[in-house]
Amino acid sequence: MYSYPSTGTRRASNQSTYVSQLPDATETVEATVLCVMPPDEFADADEVAFGDIDAAVQAADQLKEAGVSVTRMVDDGGVAQQIVRTATELDSDEIVVGGRKRSGIANVLLGSTTQDIMLAAERLVTLTG
C-alpha cells in the first residue's frame, strides 16, 4: 500500500519513485494513493475530488506511467488513524509516507502524523523525503 496525507508534489514524487522501484513492482505491487482530508479542513471527503489534489494526481500518474497498478482514494478523518485503518482494511504489506524536514526540538517531540503512523501501524512503514 502506498499512502500519504496531503503533501507537496516533491514528497509525493519521492513516494512514487520508491514504490515503483520495489522489486517486481509492475507485476506484484498494487499501490493505493490515499489522501486524507483532516476534519479541520473539510467536513468530509465528499467535498474533495481526487483530481483536485495535485500531489495525489502526480503520484498516481507517476506510478501508472511506471507500470504499477494504482487505486486512487480520498477519505476524511484523523490523518494517521485513517491511513492505518485503510492499510489494515486492505491488508497492505507496507505504508509509504513522505516526511518533512524538521529542526531543533521538533525532532524529539512525538505527535507528528508520520510518528503517529509509525507507532500505530502493525506493518512496515517506510519514510521517504
Side-chain angles (χ1 to χ4, degrees):
M1 173 165 174
Y2 170 74
S3 298
Y4 71 102
S6 181
T7 61
T9 55
R10 189 184 101 255
R11 287 191 298 265
S13 178
N14 291 344
Q15 291 168 290
S16 295
T17 298
Y18 169 82
V19 172
S20 65
Q21 292 177 351
L22 290 169
D24 300 319
T26 59
E27 296 154 14
T28 61
V29 173
E30 295 180 23
T32 299
V33 177
L34 171 66
C35 278
V36 180
M37 311 298 10
D40 57 336
E41 293 181 32
F42 298 93
D44 61 55
D46 293 335
E47 294 180 24
V48 180
F50 189 94
D52 294 335
I53 307 165
D54 292 339
V57 170
Q58 175 188 322
D61 289 350
Q62 185 177 339
L63 287 164
K64 186 176 177 183
E65 289 170 14
V68 176
S69 173
V70 62
T71 300
R72 301 162 190 242
M73 293 178 66
V74 177
D75 214 332
D76 52 40
V79 176
Q81 297 84 0
Q82 190 58 44
I83 289 172
V84 171
R85 184 177 308 118
T86 300
T88 300
E89 290 170 0
L90 296 175
D91 194 25
S92 302
D93 293 323
E94 181 175 1
I95 299 171
V96 180
V97 294
R100 292 184 227 186
K101 292 182 179 179
R102 292 185 171 195
S103 60
I105 193 77
N107 281 331
V108 297
L109 296 177
L110 291 176
S112 76
T113 299
T114 300
Q115 289 171 327
D116 290 346
I117 292 167
M118 293 177 78
L119 292 171
E122 295 182 4
R123 62 200 72 246
L124 177 66
V125 177
T126 301
L127 176 63
T128 63

